[in-house]
Amino acid sequence: MKARTFLLTLALCFAGTVTCFAQNPHMGTWKLNEGKSKIPAGFMKNTNVVYEAAGDNVKASTDGIDRDGKPFHTEWTGKFDGKDYPLTGDPTSDARSYKTINEHTMAIANMKGGKVTTSGRIVVSPDGTSRTLSVTGTDSAGKKVSSVAVYDKQ
């Protein structure tokens, strides 16, 4: 009886987690819409972004083009709680944090050695079909730069 109760409880917890992530408008696959984006030359460009459930965490994977025009792939696993979690694949950052502002808006920050390198906001449209990432940071010369990337849900 205890085993059955335990398994039922475990199944309900898993179902609740899946339902929670499924209702989050940020989850899913997003493709860069270059025509609607304003990304300056020399700024890294994420062409494909995927947010998926990883247990009780979220896994964010990106594919894109780096500052030298070479392809790159990053991975981050954590929670949308504003805490720093390790980031792999980005030579300019070793950690990232996401913080939920409201259902459709998150703050994002990339860090290198504990220092913020880029920060911004991600806003998903009310209909959930597009998202806009507005980011500011500094380039290799120390000049402040900004970027607006618009993504379409796949």
Side-chain angles (χ1 to χ4, degrees):
M1 185 67 163
K2 286 183 181 182
R4 184 184 300 165
T5 304
F6 174 74
L7 290 174
L8 181 59
T9 302
L10 188 63
L12 288 173
C13 287
F14 177 74
T17 299
V18 170
T19 300
C20 177
F21 284 130
Q23 294 174 351
N24 185 324
H26 294 275
M27 302 301 281
T29 300
W30 301 90
K31 184 175 180 179
L32 180 67
N33 184 327
E34 293 195 49
K36 294 181 179 179
S37 300
K38 294 182 176 94
I39 303 172
F43 213 80
M44 293 176 67
K45 186 186 321 182
N46 293 329
T47 55
N48 196 54
V49 179
V50 178
Y51 293 102
E52 58 190 337
D56 65 344
N57 289 314
V58 176
K59 179 179 179 184
S61 304
T62 65
D63 291 295
I65 306 297
D66 70 11
R67 295 173 183 187
D68 298 321
K70 297 177 186 169
F72 71 90
H73 175 81
T74 69
E75 290 189 8
W76 173 93
T77 301
K79 298 182 186 315
F80 296 154
D81 59 5
K83 295 179 183 176
D84 301 345
Y85 294 92
L87 173 68
T88 60
D90 184 348
T92 65
S93 303
D94 55 21
R96 176 178 292 157
S97 69
Y98 290 92
K99 182 176 182 184
T100 301
I101 305 299
N102 61 46
E103 183 181 6
H104 290 269
T105 308
M106 287 194 298
I108 183 173
N110 290 330
M111 282 72 61
K112 180 77 170 185
K115 181 180 176 187
V116 174
T117 57
T118 58
S119 62
R121 285 191 183 263
I122 302 168
V123 179
V124 175
S125 64
D127 66 3
T129 61
S130 67
R131 70 189 274 270
T132 303
L133 168 63
S134 302
V135 175
T136 59
T138 53
D139 63 15
S140 56
K143 178 183 171 192
K144 188 174 182 178
V145 292
S146 62
S147 169
V148 176
V150 177
Y151 294 84
D152 297 319
K153 189 143 196 185
Q154 300 301 293

PDB file of all heavy atoms in Angstrom, residues 40-61:
ATOM      1  N   PRO A  40      23.689  44.557 -33.793  1.00  0.00           N
ATOM      2  CA  PRO A  40      24.851  45.225 -34.390  1.00  0.00           C
ATOM      3  C   PRO A  40      25.946  44.240 -34.805  1.00  0.00           C
ATOM      4  O   PRO A  40      26.037  43.132 -34.263  1.00  0.00           O
ATOM      5  CB  PRO A  40      25.347  46.149 -33.276  1.00  0.00           C
ATOM      6  CG  PRO A  40      24.835  45.545 -32.019  1.00  0.00           C
ATOM      7  CD  PRO A  40      23.564  44.841 -32.369  1.00  0.00           C
ATOM      8  N   ALA A  41      26.745  44.652 -35.759  1.00  0.00           N
ATOM      9  CA  ALA A  41      27.879  43.837 -36.195  1.00  0.00           C
ATOM     10  C   ALA A  41      28.793  43.585 -34.997  1.00  0.00           C
ATOM     11  O   ALA A  41      28.972  44.455 -34.146  1.00  0.00           O
ATOM     12  CB  ALA A  41      28.643  44.548 -37.297  1.00  0.00           C
ATOM     13  N   GLY A  42      29.328  42.376 -34.912  1.00  0.00           N
ATOM     14  CA  GLY A  42      30.225  42.035 -33.818  1.00  0.00           C
ATOM     15  C   GLY A  42      29.519  41.580 -32.558  1.00  0.00           C
ATOM     16  O   GLY A  42      30.150  41.288 -31.558  1.00  0.00           O
ATOM     17  N   PHE A  43      28.197  41.511 -32.583  1.00  0.00           N
ATOM     18  CA  PHE A  43      27.405  41.061 -31.437  1.00  0.00           C
ATOM     19  C   PHE A  43      27.022  39.606 -31.686  1.00  0.00           C
ATOM     20  O   PHE A  43      26.643  39.243 -32.796  1.00  0.00           O
ATOM     21  CB  PHE A  43      26.140  41.923 -31.319  1.00  0.00           C
ATOM     22  CG  PHE A  43      25.655  42.150 -29.921  1.00  0.00           C
ATOM     23  CD1 PHE A  43      26.246  43.117 -29.127  1.00  0.00           C
ATOM     24  CD2 PHE A  43      24.601  41.433 -29.395  1.00  0.00           C
ATOM     25  CE1 PHE A  43      25.800  43.369 -27.831  1.00  0.00           C
ATOM     26  CE2 PHE A  43      24.143  41.661 -28.113  1.00  0.00           C
ATOM     27  CZ  PHE A  43      24.746  42.625 -27.336  1.00  0.00           C
ATOM     28  N   MET A  44      27.133  38.759 -30.677  1.00  0.00           N
ATOM     29  CA  MET A  44      26.737  37.364 -30.835  1.00  0.00           C
ATOM     30  C   MET A  44      25.261  37.290 -31.211  1.00  0.00           C
ATOM     31  O   MET A  44      24.450  38.074 -30.740  1.00  0.00           O
ATOM     32  CB  MET A  44      26.999  36.590 -29.550  1.00  0.00           C
ATOM     33  CG  MET A  44      28.469  36.447 -29.237  1.00  0.00           C
ATOM     34  SD  MET A  44      28.814  35.646 -27.660  1.00  0.00           S
ATOM     35  CE  MET A  44      28.226  34.006 -27.959  1.00  0.00           C
ATOM     36  N   LYS A  45      24.931  36.323 -32.069  1.00  0.00           N
ATOM     37  CA  LYS A  45      23.570  36.190 -32.574  1.00  0.00           C
ATOM     38  C   LYS A  45      23.072  34.772 -32.312  1.00  0.00           C
ATOM     39  O   LYS A  45      23.609  33.811 -32.846  1.00  0.00           O
ATOM     40  CB  LYS A  45      23.583  36.473 -34.072  1.00  0.00           C
ATOM     41  CG  LYS A  45      22.243  36.512 -34.719  1.00  0.00           C
ATOM     42  CD  LYS A  45      22.290  36.655 -36.229  1.00  0.00           C
ATOM     43  CE  LYS A  45      23.334  37.567 -36.762  1.00  0.00           C
ATOM     44  NZ  LYS A  45      23.278  37.687 -38.224  1.00  0.00           N
ATOM     45  N   ASN A  46      22.040  34.641 -31.466  1.00  0.00           N
ATOM     46  CA  ASN A  46      21.408  33.343 -31.234  1.00  0.00           C
ATOM     47  C   ASN A  46      20.353  33.144 -32.313  1.00  0.00           C
ATOM     48  O   ASN A  46      19.358  33.864 -32.342  1.00  0.00           O
ATOM     49  CB  ASN A  46      20.740  33.292 -29.861  1.00  0.00           C
ATOM     50  CG  ASN A  46      21.727  33.346 -28.728  1.00  0.00           C
ATOM     51  OD1 ASN A  46      22.847  32.883 -28.858  1.00  0.00           O
ATOM     52  ND2 ASN A  46      21.316  33.908 -27.611  1.00  0.00           N
ATOM     53  N   THR A  47      20.574  32.180 -33.196  1.00  0.00           N
ATOM     54  CA  THR A  47      19.629  31.947 -34.284  1.00  0.00           C
ATOM     55  C   THR A  47      18.513  30.985 -33.887  1.00  0.00           C
ATOM     56  O   THR A  47      17.443  31.015 -34.478  1.00  0.00           O
ATOM     57  CB  THR A  47      20.354  31.408 -35.528  1.00  0.00           C
ATOM     58  OG1 THR A  47      21.091  30.243 -35.163  1.00  0.00           O
ATOM     59  CG2 THR A  47      21.299  32.466 -36.092  1.00  0.00           C
ATOM     60  N   ASN A  48      18.764  30.145 -32.907  1.00  0.00           N
ATOM     61  CA  ASN A  48      17.779  29.181 -32.443  1.00  0.00           C
ATOM     62  C   ASN A  48      17.898  29.048 -30.918  1.00  0.00           C
ATOM     63  O   ASN A  48      18.994  28.877 -30.410  1.00  0.00           O
ATOM     64  CB  ASN A  48      18.020  27.822 -33.118  1.00  0.00           C
ATOM     65  CG  ASN A  48      16.839  26.903 -33.004  1.00  0.00           C
ATOM     66  OD1 ASN A  48      15.734  27.261 -33.368  1.00  0.00           O
ATOM     67  ND2 ASN A  48      17.076  25.705 -32.502  1.00  0.00           N
ATOM     68  N   VAL A  49      16.771  29.141 -30.224  1.00  0.00           N
ATOM     69  CA  VAL A  49      16.747  29.045 -28.761  1.00  0.00           C
ATOM     70  C   VAL A  49      15.679  28.031 -28.367  1.00  0.00           C
ATOM     71  O   VAL A  49      14.559  28.074 -28.886  1.00  0.00           O
ATOM     72  CB  VAL A  49      16.431  30.417 -28.112  1.00  0.00           C
ATOM     73  CG1 VAL A  49      16.377  30.311 -26.606  1.00  0.00           C
ATOM     74  CG2 VAL A  49      17.424  31.467 -28.557  1.00  0.00           C
ATOM     75  N   VAL A  50      16.038  27.124 -27.457  1.00  0.00           N
ATOM     76  CA  VAL A  50      15.091  26.108 -26.991  1.00  0.00           C
ATOM     77  C   VAL A  50      15.059  26.128 -25.467  1.00  0.00           C
ATOM     78  O   VAL A  50      16.104  26.037 -24.816  1.00  0.00           O
ATOM     79  CB  VAL A  50      15.488  24.695 -27.472  1.00  0.00           C
ATOM     80  CG1 VAL A  50      14.509  23.652 -26.930  1.00  0.00           C
ATOM     81  CG2 VAL A  50      15.561  24.632 -28.989  1.00  0.00           C
ATOM     82  N   TYR A  51      13.853  26.262 -24.895  1.00  0.00           N
ATOM     83  CA  TYR A  51      13.631  26.131 -23.455  1.00  0.00           C
ATOM     84  C   TYR A  51      12.815  24.865 -23.254  1.00  0.00           C
ATOM     85  O   TYR A  51      11.745  24.720 -23.844  1.00  0.00           O
ATOM     86  CB  TYR A  51      12.847  27.317 -22.892  1.00  0.00           C
ATOM     87  CG  TYR A  51      13.573  28.630 -22.932  1.00  0.00           C
ATOM     88  CD1 TYR A  51      13.287  29.584 -23.904  1.00  0.00           C
ATOM     89  CD2 TYR A  51      14.537  28.940 -21.983  1.00  0.00           C
ATOM     90  CE1 TYR A  51      13.948  30.798 -23.934  1.00  0.00           C
ATOM     91  CE2 TYR A  51      15.200  30.147 -22.005  1.00  0.00           C
ATOM     92  CZ  TYR A  51      14.897  31.068 -22.985  1.00  0.00           C
ATOM     93  OH  TYR A  51      15.553  32.267 -23.008  1.00  0.00           O
ATOM     94  N   GLU A  52      13.331  23.940 -22.415  1.00  0.00           N
ATOM     95  CA  GLU A  52      12.614  22.700 -22.163  1.00  0.00           C
ATOM     96  C   GLU A  52      12.759  22.302 -20.702  1.00  0.00           C
ATOM     97  O   GLU A  52      13.717  22.692 -20.037  1.00  0.00           O
ATOM     98  CB  GLU A  52      13.129  21.587 -23.072  1.00  0.00           C
ATOM     99  CG  GLU A  52      14.608  21.312 -22.927  1.00  0.00           C
ATOM    100  CD  GLU A  52      15.155  20.383 -24.003  1.00  0.00           C
ATOM    101  OE1 GLU A  52      14.383  19.620 -24.592  1.00  0.00           O
ATOM    102  OE2 GLU A  52      16.369  20.432 -24.239  1.00  0.00           O
ATOM    103  N   ALA A  53      11.793  21.524 -20.218  1.00  0.00           N
ATOM    104  CA  ALA A  53      11.840  21.043 -18.844  1.00  0.00           C
ATOM    105  C   ALA A  53      12.970  20.036 -18.694  1.00  0.00           C
ATOM    106  O   ALA A  53      13.226  19.229 -19.582  1.00  0.00           O
ATOM    107  CB  ALA A  53      10.507  20.390 -18.471  1.00  0.00           C
ATOM    108  N   ALA A  54      13.689  20.135 -17.572  1.00  0.00           N
ATOM    109  CA  ALA A  54      14.751  19.190 -17.208  1.00  0.00           C
ATOM    110  C   ALA A  54      14.546  18.859 -15.737  1.00  0.00           C
ATOM    111  O   ALA A  54      15.162  19.474 -14.863  1.00  0.00           O
ATOM    112  CB  ALA A  54      16.122  19.803 -17.468  1.00  0.00           C
ATOM    113  N   GLY A  55      13.638  17.932 -15.465  1.00  0.00           N
ATOM    114  CA  GLY A  55      13.250  17.660 -14.081  1.00  0.00           C
ATOM    115  C   GLY A  55      12.481  18.854 -13.555  1.00  0.00           C
ATOM    116  O   GLY A  55      11.577  19.343 -14.215  1.00  0.00           O
ATOM    117  N   ASP A  56      12.905  19.377 -12.392  1.00  0.00           N
ATOM    118  CA  ASP A  56      12.241  20.586 -11.872  1.00  0.00           C
ATOM    119  C   ASP A  56      12.991  21.853 -12.284  1.00  0.00           C
ATOM    120  O   ASP A  56      12.712  22.936 -11.796  1.00  0.00           O
ATOM    121  CB  ASP A  56      12.074  20.505 -10.350  1.00  0.00           C
ATOM    122  CG  ASP A  56      13.395  20.491  -9.604  1.00  0.00           C
ATOM    123  OD1 ASP A  56      14.441  20.235 -10.230  1.00  0.00           O
ATOM    124  OD2 ASP A  56      13.380  20.731  -8.386  1.00  0.00           O
ATOM    125  N   ASN A  57      13.933  21.715 -13.202  1.00  0.00           N
ATOM    126  CA  ASN A  57      14.683  22.843 -13.759  1.00  0.00           C
ATOM    127  C   ASN A  57      14.243  23.108 -15.197  1.00  0.00           C
ATOM    128  O   ASN A  57      13.421  22.394 -15.752  1.00  0.00           O
ATOM    129  CB  ASN A  57      16.189  22.550 -13.765  1.00  0.00           C
ATOM    130  CG  ASN A  57      16.780  22.553 -12.381  1.00  0.00           C
ATOM    131  OD1 ASN A  57      16.521  23.431 -11.583  1.00  0.00           O
ATOM    132  ND2 ASN A  57      17.576  21.539 -12.091  1.00  0.00           N
ATOM    133  N   VAL A  58      14.848  24.120 -15.785  1.00  0.00           N
ATOM    134  CA  VAL A  58      14.662  24.454 -17.188  1.00  0.00           C
ATOM    135  C   VAL A  58      16.024  24.350 -17.861  1.00  0.00           C
ATOM    136  O   VAL A  58      17.031  24.790 -17.300  1.00  0.00           O
ATOM    137  CB  VAL A  58      14.125  25.897 -17.363  1.00  0.00           C
ATOM    138  CG1 VAL A  58      14.027  26.265 -18.833  1.00  0.00           C
ATOM    139  CG2 VAL A  58      12.785  26.051 -16.668  1.00  0.00           C
ATOM    140  N   LYS A  59      16.052  23.762 -19.043  1.00  0.00           N
ATOM    141  CA  LYS A  59      17.277  23.715 -19.833  1.00  0.00           C
ATOM    142  C   LYS A  59      17.099  24.672 -21.007  1.00  0.00           C
ATOM    143  O   LYS A  59      16.118  24.576 -21.743  1.00  0.00           O
ATOM    144  CB  LYS A  59      17.556  22.303 -20.348  1.00  0.00           C
ATOM    145  CG  LYS A  59      18.811  22.229 -21.197  1.00  0.00           C
ATOM    146  CD  LYS A  59      19.067  20.814 -21.682  1.00  0.00           C
ATOM    147  CE  LYS A  59      20.309  20.759 -22.550  1.00  0.00           C
ATOM    148  NZ  LYS A  59      20.508  19.419 -23.108  1.00  0.00           N
ATOM    149  N   ALA A  60      18.044  25.603 -21.146  1.00  0.00           N
ATOM    150  CA  ALA A  60      18.044  26.539 -22.266  1.00  0.00           C
ATOM    151  C   ALA A  60      19.243  26.231 -23.147  1.00  0.00           C
ATOM    152  O   ALA A  60      20.377  26.198 -22.665  1.00  0.00           O
ATOM    153  CB  ALA A  60      18.118  27.978 -21.759  1.00  0.00           C
ATOM    154  N   SER A  61      18.976  25.962 -24.417  1.00  0.00           N
ATOM    155  CA  SER A  61      20.034  25.684 -25.382  1.00  0.00           C
ATOM    156  C   SER A  61      19.946  26.712 -26.494  1.00  0.00           C
ATOM    157  O   SER A  61      18.850  27.043 -26.953  1.00  0.00           O
ATOM    158  CB  SER A  61      19.866  24.292 -25.998  1.00  0.00           C
ATOM    159  OG  SER A  61      19.830  23.299 -25.023  1.00  0.00           O
TER     160      SER A  61
END
